[in-house]
Amino acid sequence: MKRYNIAVVGATGAVGTEMLKVLEEYNLPIDNLKVIASPRSKGKEITFKDQKYTIETIEKGTFEDVDIALFSIGSSNSLKYVPQAVYEGALVIDNSNAYRMDDDVPLIVPEINPEFIKEHNGIIANPNCSTIQMVMALNPIRKKHVINKIIVSTYQAVSGTGQKAVNELRKQSQDYLNNDEVKTEVYPNQIAFNAIPLIDKVNDNGYTEEELKLNRETQKIFNNKEIKVTATAVRIPVFYGHSESIHLEFDIPVDLEEISYLLSNDDNIKLIDNPAENEYPTPLMSEETDQILVGRLRQDLNNEKALEMWVVGNNIRKGAALNAVQIADYVIKNNVIDGGQ
Ligand code: A2P
């Protein structure tokens, strides 16, 4: 079997670390592995499959012997380094927002739109974490019914911002409980014991980038410009696991039993919906599973053509690292490394 040279770029970060774990679990046919981070980490060692690897930085020629490069170094760094990786011959799977909406860049959730992977021109984009778990939960429903409108409010974990934010929540929580001074670095406001209703930059129309991603990425992944998404994205003091409260509007009255049936028959989804017994998804539960967790399913009180649901997903795994590795796995198994070039 052919073996591939793989690079993980951002290997010391929250997502990069998980990418290495998922690469181990998926057992991709790796010939050579490169682990890449910033100059701050150069020379440090990482263990992968019981073997030690030394962290490299991006230099001229770094990607010349790389087949697939998994990038998770943020948008501005991706804009700087992804073109080099493509020029040097690597297929890039990029976790940042930099290229997601480019017409010649497929935006992929392998369970939903793998047919677009082969159209890549050297870059495949990994969607935003909050988009991935939402489209995964809606996929079995939208295959049967026309969804006209989605209103979503997110409750997002700090790990989505990166490892520094995880450290900040831990430190602020300790300081706050000890009555010590609480310092803010990563977020503009204290995140411990708080909620911040602003993720990413705010636009002239009042929506944040994170909220607009949910609209445009959902349309691109479902290949449907008619589906309208309006979002409010909120950061909450949770380490791992994003939650979403979702309102769906249809053309026809909702049959909740049928929706339950569709959700519970999708292997990628776990329906946990027995609120009377306190059974519903929570972010802590998402640390233990790669399934998307759905609960609190109910009909809108005032609109028979609408329903409400609660969706929880592991933002670092299915929301980022796992989805990226699944794309790589598809590329390898279907031999589409050269794409549409
Ligand atoms: P480092 O740990 O050396 O700073 P997170 O999303 O958790 O903040 O992680 C970001 C990742 O991106 C880290 O692995 C970080 O490495 C890496 N990174 C940041 N800047 C660069 C760069 N210029 N070149 C390569 N990797 C980078």
Side-chain angles (χ1 to χ4, degrees):
M1 186 188 190
K2 188 165 182 247
R3 303 190 81 77
Y4 295 82
N5 295 341
I6 308 266
V8 174
V9 188
T12 51
V15 172
T17 309
E18 199 65 35
M19 280 173 169
L20 289 166
K21 259 199 233 166
V22 182
L23 277 173
E24 282 192 330
E25 291 166 21
Y26 260 64
N27 217 0
L28 294 192
I30 300 178
D31 192 7
N32 253 304
L33 176 72
K34 276 190 182 183
V35 287
I36 296 169
S38 82
R40 288 180 290 277
S41 305
K42 189 174 180 172
K44 288 187 191 158
E45 286 189 330
I46 278 183
T47 305
F48 179 81
K49 288 193 176 171
D50 298 327
Q51 217 181 305
K52 292 223 183 299
Y53 290 82
T54 305
I55 294 175
E56 304 171 36
T57 49
I58 301 175
E59 310 294 341
K60 190 166 177 288
T62 290
F63 299 99
E64 276 172 0
D65 55 355
V66 170
D67 298 308
I68 300 175
L70 299 163
F71 269 69
S72 189
I73 55 175
S75 289
S76 55
N77 283 322
S78 275
L79 284 169
K80 200 163 157 195
Y81 295 114
V82 166
Q84 176 193 334
V86 174
Y87 177 76
E88 291 179 354
L91 165 62
V92 172
I93 300 171
D94 183 38
N95 189 47
S96 83
N97 187 36
Y99 302 98
R100 286 181 188 147
M101 295 314 294
D102 289 10
D103 283 342
D104 61 346
V105 174
L107 181 67
I108 300 295
V109 179
E111 295 88 342
I112 300 177
N113 62 345
E115 66 276 16
F116 290 100
I117 290 179
K118 64 178 183 307
E119 293 177 13
H120 76 79
N121 292 288
I123 307 174
I124 299 170
N126 211 32
N128 189 38
C129 42
S130 40
T131 308
I132 292 179
Q133 70 180 64
M134 184 170 84
V135 293
M136 286 290 289
L138 301 190
N139 195 40
I141 302 174
R142 65 108 204 185
K143 281 184 187 163
K144 289 274 180 194
H145 298 290
V146 177
I147 299 173
N148 292 330
K149 184 162 184 180
I150 303 167
I151 303 173
V152 53
S153 299
T154 71
Y155 304 71
Q156 297 184 218
V158 294
S159 52
T161 312
Q163 193 53 44
K164 281 198 192 112
V166 172
N167 301 342
E168 177 151 301
L169 173 58
R170 190 170 287 124
K171 177 84 172 68
Q172 285 186 353
S173 303
Q174 285 162 343
D175 290 344
Y176 188 79
L177 291 173
N178 289 333
N179 275 327
D180 288 337
E181 187 196 349
V182 174
K183 294 198 180 109
T184 57
E185 247 177 65
V186 177
Y187 296 114
N189 284 291
Q190 178 179 325
I191 183 66
F193 306 98
N194 208 358
I196 301 178
L198 199 142
I199 301 182
D200 210 333
K201 295 185 295 281
V202 69
N203 279 263
D204 291 344
N205 61 9
Y207 280 88
T208 63
E209 265 303 294
E210 187 77 3
E211 290 157 352
L212 297 177
K213 284 176 210 167
L214 276 153
N215 181 49
R216 59 187 183 226
E217 292 182 19
T218 300
Q219 292 184 343
K220 184 164 174 177
I221 294 162
F222 284 158
N223 198 18
N224 176 3
K225 285 257 180 250
E226 300 304 312
I227 198 162
K228 302 287 183 272
V229 185
T230 180
T232 303
V234 182
R235 188 76 64 191
I236 59 163
V238 157
F239 287 115
Y240 298 98
H242 288 352
S243 306
E244 296 176 340
S245 161
I246 298 177
H247 167 97
L248 295 183
E249 290 178 9
F250 302 89
D251 278 337
I252 53 162
V254 172
D255 176 350
L256 268 194
E257 257 181 50
E258 192 225 0
I259 301 286
S260 279
Y261 174 83
L262 294 173
L263 290 165
S264 47
N265 275 283
D266 185 323
D267 290 344
N268 303 303
I269 292 173
K270 185 167 185 193
L271 188 63
I272 309 173
D273 197 15
N274 186 8
E277 299 294 329
N278 286 311
E279 290 168 11
Y280 38 71
T282 69
L284 278 180
M285 289 176 186
S286 75
E287 292 185 25
E288 306 298 324
T289 178
D290 288 331
Q291 284 178 304
I292 303 301
L293 309 175
V294 181
R296 298 296 324 281
L297 208 57
R298 61 210 190 275
Q299 188 151 24
D300 183 302
L301 270 186
N302 305 301
N303 180 357
E304 60 171 3
K305 297 180 183 170
L307 65 77
E308 314 296 324
M309 65 202 290
W310 175 250
V311 174
V312 175
N314 186 317
N315 57 304
I316 295 295
R317 284 184 66 91
K318 185 57 192 166
L322 173 61
N323 199 70
V325 174
Q326 286 173 327
I327 294 172
D329 188 49
Y330 184 98
V331 164
I332 288 172
K333 289 197 174 124
N334 294 278
N335 198 19
V336 285
I337 202 152
D338 291 328
Q341 282 171 320

